[in-house]
Amino acid sequence: MDSLKLFVVFLTAAAVFGVLSIIFVLRWVLHFKEGLGWDGGPAEFNWHPVLIVTGFIFLQGIAIIVYRLPWTWQCSKLMMKFIHAGLNLLAFVFAVIALIAVFDFHNAAKIPNMYSLHSWLGLLAVILYVLQLVLGVGMYLIPITPASWRAAFMPVHVYSGLSLFACVIAVALMGITEKLIFGLKDPKYKDSPPEAVFVNILGVLLVVFGALILWIATRSSWKRPSDHSVHTLHTNEGGEDNTKTGPELSQLSEGAEASGDVRKRSNKSDELDN
């Protein structure tokens, strides 16, 4: 149970830093900027950082670790796949609206689009995210996909998902710095006015949130254990061979402890899931 306690500590910390990031970005646009609106002006642009932080970062982070929540282990693996895909789809919708907001603002203000490294990498991240979603759905939510394909693609799916998450945070940091440099005139960003300090703290919160999510997602001892009901479901519906699950998973719940000796084989592709 020590592993469960440690997991809860990291999960709680991630939730706290994630929620604080959302609060800080809302405080930034509502207090230091022009608020929120949809009129082609600065208030419409402000939706861009709010939706990126709320959706493309926070929701995506939750989607990455949703498999690892012990309280969801009673749910079928198929249901968790739909939840994982749904959260990622919602994050994508937020990102698309955020892009629309910034393009509308640039067009209304006669500001060129796609001139900065932030805009290049941001659009690339969204495009790759779409590809990740399409391939993920095709591989893991369509029953006719061969099990060998699922198993072979899983390392790529996991790596690309974690890499995209880290890249989105990096691009967001570039964006908020760019906004401060261009937006702060008197005093300037280099003079560290209150807004600059406040937004720099937002950047730190995003980095810590991302680091905690990546840590949770890469600990093998916190992976979702298999069970016979999930094994049977996937064998009947997907025709997938099951291999094994790590015995250390039994530390995360009493149910897993009690059945640790029974859970010797699980789906090969499931073993690689988050």
Side-chain angles (χ1 to χ4, degrees):
M1 297 304 291
D2 289 341
S3 184
L4 175 59
K5 292 177 182 178
L6 187 60
F7 175 84
V8 171
V9 169
F10 274 87
L11 179 64
T12 302
V16 168
F17 279 95
V19 171
L20 281 176
S21 298
I22 295 173
I23 293 173
F24 266 62
V25 73
L26 285 171
R27 175 68 173 173
W28 179 29
V29 302
L30 295 176
H31 177 71
F32 293 101
K33 296 301 182 184
E34 298 79 5
L36 295 170
W38 201 268
D39 55 2
E44 181 174 347
F45 173 87
N46 290 340
W47 279 109
H48 183 73
V50 169
L51 293 174
I52 291 298
V53 170
T54 305
F56 216 23
I57 294 178
F58 182 75
L59 284 181
Q60 185 184 171
I62 299 303
I64 288 173
I65 63 171
V66 70
Y67 282 110
R68 305 206 163 205
L69 304 179
W71 308 279
T72 68
W73 291 352
Q74 60 183 337
C75 301
S76 72
K77 192 62 173 288
L78 183 61
M79 177 182 294
M80 295 311 301
K81 287 181 179 180
F82 276 109
I83 292 174
H84 174 73
L87 288 171
N88 277 300
L89 179 61
L90 186 59
F92 169 69
V93 171
F94 276 46
V96 170
I97 299 174
L99 288 180
I100 293 172
V102 73
F103 277 109
D104 277 355
F105 169 71
H106 280 184
N107 293 336
K110 308 301 182 184
I111 299 174
N113 292 306
M114 303 302 300
Y115 66 88
S116 67
L117 182 60
H118 166 70
S119 60
W120 290 7
L121 294 179
L123 184 60
L124 179 62
V126 173
I127 293 172
L128 292 177
Y129 198 76
V130 174
L131 182 62
Q132 173 84 345
L133 274 173
V134 172
L135 290 176
V137 170
M139 286 289 180
Y140 303 110
L141 288 180
I142 298 180
I144 62 173
T145 304
S148 59
W149 291 15
R150 299 186 183 192
F153 182 69
M154 181 56 72
V156 178
H157 181 71
V158 172
Y159 174 79
S160 58
L162 297 179
S163 299
L164 273 172
F165 176 67
C167 287
V168 167
I169 292 179
V171 173
L173 297 179
M174 295 170 60
I176 61 178
T177 303
E178 180 183 299
K179 182 64 176 177
L180 290 174
I181 293 174
F182 290 156
L184 295 177
K185 302 298 184 182
D186 187 22
K188 295 182 178 180
Y189 180 43
K190 66 182 180 65
D191 298 321
S192 297
E195 180 180 352
V197 174
F198 185 85
V199 179
N200 284 347
I201 295 174
L202 167 62
V204 173
L205 292 174
L206 292 175
V207 170
V208 175
F209 172 72
L212 289 169
I213 292 295
L214 292 175
W215 181 263
I216 293 172
T218 55
R219 297 308 93 193
S220 59
S221 59
W222 292 345
K223 290 171 68 173
R224 171 190 169 105
S226 63
D227 54 54
H228 279 290
S229 62
V230 175
H231 166 73
T232 303
L233 175 63
H234 281 272
T235 300
N236 292 339
E237 294 185 1
E240 305 173 35
D241 292 329
N242 288 354
T243 54
K244 70 170 188 173
T245 185
E248 66 272 16
L249 291 172
S250 62
Q251 299 174 1
L252 287 178
S253 70
E254 293 180 1
E257 265 185 60
S259 57
D261 292 334
V262 177
R263 293 168 179 170
K264 296 297 183 182
R265 301 185 63 82
S266 74
N267 187 281
K268 183 177 181 181
S269 63
D270 287 349
E271 177 187 318
L272 296 168
D273 281 349
N274 289 333

